[in-house]
Amino acid sequence: MYTVAQLMGGVWGAGGGGGELVVNDPADGSPVSSVPVATADEVGKAVAAAREAAAEWASTAPATRAAAVHRAADAVEAVAEELAAAVTAEMGKPLADARGGVEAGIGTLRQYAELAPLRGGRTLHGEPDALDFITPQPRGVVAAITPWNDPVAVSCGLLGAALVTGNVVLYKPSERTPATGWLLARALDQALPAGVLSLLTGGPEVGAALAGQEVDVVAHVGSTATGRAIAAAAARTGAKVLLENGGSDPLVVDAGVDASWAAGQAALGAFANAGQICVAVERIYVHREVAEDFVAALVQRADALRAGPGRDPGTELGPLVDRRHRDHVHGQVTAAVADGAQVRTGGELPDGPGAFYPATVVTDCRHDMPLVREETFGPVAPVVVVDSFDEALRCAADSPYGLAATVLTASMSHAQRAWRELPVGTVKINSVFGGAPGGAAHPRRASGQGFGYGPELLDEFTATKAVHIEAPGGGHW
Ligand code: NAD
């Protein structure tokens, strides 16, 4: 059992007056982590202490900060296996995936350590005697509030970019993966000056207390509802808000594609990490011409997945994060069935402990069903049959969300229309996942705002200052 401690003002073990929270293993219900809960007063004190450390870190040379972040990446690497085990114990994903997330996080820390010192401002052409330039500066105090679904990779992105650009950070990991956040913060803190990183633990109330503080940036990766609450809180304090929120990513399957290959893509997109990926395939629009073969192949793929505890090496489909989330997923499936949809496989709550949910394929869905329109975040593939590519594109675009979309097509003109017309941050043609390093996108509408990753995330954590310098009257310094 992990016993988590908070880090405030450079002191481990501080605070916790808000009580204790226990996290249970979603594979068997056994207790995994015991976690202190910060009070609002402790959050305020932690922010004040962080502010004290801000000026010195901001004025540390960028290369020195980058070296510290490289050392932080080394420290995370040294506990990579422990971190992956904590991820699996707390949120259930297969251990190999958890390892992948930790490796991605380490890679991101190193990438930001390399990139940050190379980014600068630029000189301007003003009056010949004057000196004009624009330059990025740290914003100051950053609150980083993160989710549980890929906790190390997501946290390393926000923390790495904020720290290396000279900000002090108050890190509030998800209440569903607090020990993971604690292990990560412990490793990072080893490489950083005291007070530069703080760790606050607890549930939504701790996040809300933090988001309401006089900080300079609130960076949140998580649900749309939380992102909106944070935006409202920051509107009162004037903090900048960076939001990477929910999605309901469509998959369009065009006429003329190989149905078996398309089903493989759909299964990967809908069932990886038990569907708990921000860019998971959440709704499928398949052309009538290939629909029957596609659904048959998708059902086969779903049935072939080996479900089990994430710690078992053979497991391909782990449990959902907890039973509360499973109720949400199952609720959407049963509502769709009550409204005329058909479960082709899965869709039933298994007996036994934990929060397992089977890979589920639902057909006869309509575009207006909540299972299709809302974020499910579970291993569910709802299929809507369409009569044309036009109709598929129209449905794909018609969503409150705007995170990403995938189109499977052999038609270059359809591919071109898709990337131009879909109002989302990322468009993928013929591959549900993947993309070149350095890609970064703006999510749209309910999916958030700002760059949540990529080199541009470094810019989000800096403020650009314009400087104009003239000699004093008389022309001499
Ligand atoms: P969540 O928003 O419920 O929780 C995320 C964090 O916000 C947690 O630390 C939580 O304690 C905190 N929080 C909750 N209420 C708060 C409030 N009122 N004020 C401040 N903080 C608060 O999200 P989750 O359930 O942990 O994560 C799943 C969601 O995250 C899904 O919607 C998924 O799509 C999204 N997500 C998005 C991305 C992306 O890049 N767009 C990446 C990963 C996950």
Side-chain angles (χ1 to χ4, degrees):
M1 178 119 163
Y2 302 102
T3 306
V4 169
Q6 300 191 99
L7 172 63
M8 299 179 187
V11 179
W12 279 103
E20 185 208 21
L21 187 148
V22 173
V23 177
N24 297 313
D25 186 330
D28 59 18
S30 63
V32 175
S33 320
S34 154
V35 188
V37 176
T39 62
D41 184 52
E42 289 167 11
V43 172
K45 287 187 174 136
V47 171
R51 174 110 22 222
E52 294 274 300
E56 194 173 336
W57 184 239
S59 61
T60 299
T64 307
R65 290 197 302 252
V69 172
H70 261 309
R71 285 197 305 279
D74 294 341
V76 176
E77 204 156 30
V79 294
E81 200 51 40
E82 207 184 334
L83 265 170
V87 172
T88 296
E90 289 195 315
M91 60 71 68
K93 73 165 68 188
L95 195 52
D97 291 0
R99 285 194 185 106
V102 174
E103 276 161 26
I106 294 164
T108 306
L109 289 173
R110 295 206 189 286
Q111 215 172 52
Y112 285 141
E114 291 296 321
L115 287 173
L118 305 182
R119 288 170 97 80
R122 59 191 163 89
T123 54
L124 305 171
H125 300 293
E127 292 300 319
D129 294 342
L131 192 57
D132 287 90
F133 58 94
I134 57 172
T135 186
Q137 291 193 311
R139 283 189 174 261
V141 179
V142 171
I145 304 177
T146 57
W148 48 267
N149 64 319
D150 197 0
V152 179
V154 169
S155 299
C156 283
L158 292 186
L159 300 185
L163 290 165
V164 80
T165 46
N167 301 280
V168 296
V169 175
L170 294 123
Y171 172 37
K172 158 58 184 88
S174 168
E175 59 278 16
R176 281 154 154 166
T177 51
T180 304
W182 165 67
L183 288 168
L184 178 64
R186 263 198 344 185
L188 297 173
D189 178 55
Q190 283 172 33
L192 297 166
V196 166
L197 178 67
S198 306
L199 175 72
L200 297 168
T201 53
E205 71 289 357
V206 178
L210 181 57
Q213 289 288 322
E214 298 284 333
V215 297
D216 299 290
V217 182
V218 185
H220 170 251
V221 179
S223 69
T224 297
T226 301
R228 288 185 171 162
I230 286 173
R236 289 190 283 274
T237 64
K240 172 183 167 144
V241 184
L242 181 64
L243 299 175
E244 295 296 312
N245 292 156
S248 178
D249 287 8
L251 173 73
V252 171
V253 183
D254 202 0
V257 301
D258 180 89
S260 163
W261 163 75
Q265 288 291 313
L268 180 64
F271 306 141
N273 202 21
Q276 303 166 119
I277 302 179
C278 54
V279 290
V281 166
E282 288 270 340
R283 49 198 174 112
I284 300 170
Y285 302 100
V286 57
H287 195 286
R288 192 172 299 281
E289 191 183 276
V290 287
E292 205 178 311
D293 290 349
F294 169 80
V295 168
L298 183 56
V299 167
Q300 259 184 15
R301 298 258 178 183
D303 290 344
L305 285 173
R306 284 191 304 269
R311 70 184 91 86
D312 290 357
T315 292
E316 294 168 316
L317 184 71
L320 292 173
V321 66
D322 59 22
R323 287 204 170 183
R324 179 163 61 94
H325 185 52
R326 183 171 78 169
D327 288 346
H328 157 80
V329 172
H330 191 54
Q332 280 195 356
V333 171
T334 48
V337 170
D339 199 13
Q342 276 196 55
V343 169
R344 300 292 285 265
T345 189
E348 284 185 7
L349 291 180
D351 292 331
F356 290 95
Y357 198 76
T360 297
V361 178
V362 186
T363 58
D364 300 85
C365 291
R366 292 190 319 273
H367 175 59
D368 63 355
M369 288 175 169
L371 178 68
V372 176
R373 292 192 62 80
E374 290 171 14
E375 188 179 49
T376 307
F377 224 55
V380 181
V383 181
V384 179
V385 176
V386 293
D387 288 305
S388 66
F389 186 72
D390 265 4
E391 185 186 349
L393 217 52
R394 209 168 44 245
C395 290
D398 175 31
S399 170
Y401 297 101
L403 198 56
T406 304
V407 174
L408 306 180
T409 183
S411 157
M412 188 57 172
S413 65
H414 285 181
Q416 295 277 23
R417 274 194 63 196
W419 80 254
R420 287 201 175 94
E421 292 176 25
L422 288 171
V424 299
T426 302
V427 175
K428 295 158 287 181
I429 307 290
N430 293 331
S431 180
V432 283
F433 298 135
H442 281 140
R444 304 197 192 174
R445 302 185 305 280
S447 292
Q449 59 190 49
F451 287 108
Y453 52 94
E456 285 77 3
L457 180 56
L458 295 166
D459 301 333
E460 298 283 3
F461 287 119
T462 57
T464 302
K465 183 174 278 180
V467 182
H468 170 73
I469 300 176
E470 281 189 36
H476 297 292
W477 286 97

